[in-house]
Amino acid sequence: MKGIIFNLLEKFITEGHGEETYDAIVHACHLQTKEPFVGPGTYPDEDLMALLQATTHQLGISTEDL
């Protein structure tokens, strides 16, 4: 998955819920990627799925709403 997708998810979370919430979501995941997500980079799909699952749980919203 391209890094821009991760960047857009981060922007959605931080603008609506704050950086602390984003940090909590990232720390709740067991990501294969250890460095920051960079727009042109390519990252495991599993990392995005883990972030999406943690986001829906943390924010109390459905996947469809996310």
Side-chain angles (χ1 to χ4, degrees):
M1 186 72 54
K2 284 299 192 184
I4 188 67
I5 302 299
F6 292 87
N7 297 150
L8 290 170
L9 178 61
E10 178 182 0
K11 183 177 179 180
F12 168 79
I13 297 167
T14 57
E15 286 183 358
H17 305 279
E19 290 221 14
E20 301 81 21
T21 301
Y22 178 74
D23 289 341
I25 289 168
V26 170
H27 291 300
C29 297
H30 298 287
L31 302 176
Q32 295 177 33
T33 304
K34 301 303 177 200
E35 68 274 353
F37 298 104
V38 180
T42 302
Y43 304 96
D45 291 350
E46 294 83 10
D47 282 358
L48 180 62
M49 299 312 293
L51 286 167
L52 292 174
Q53 183 178 10
T55 300
T56 58
H57 177 75
Q58 179 79 19
L59 301 183
I61 60 176
S62 69
T63 305
E64 292 83 21
D65 289 339
L66 177 60

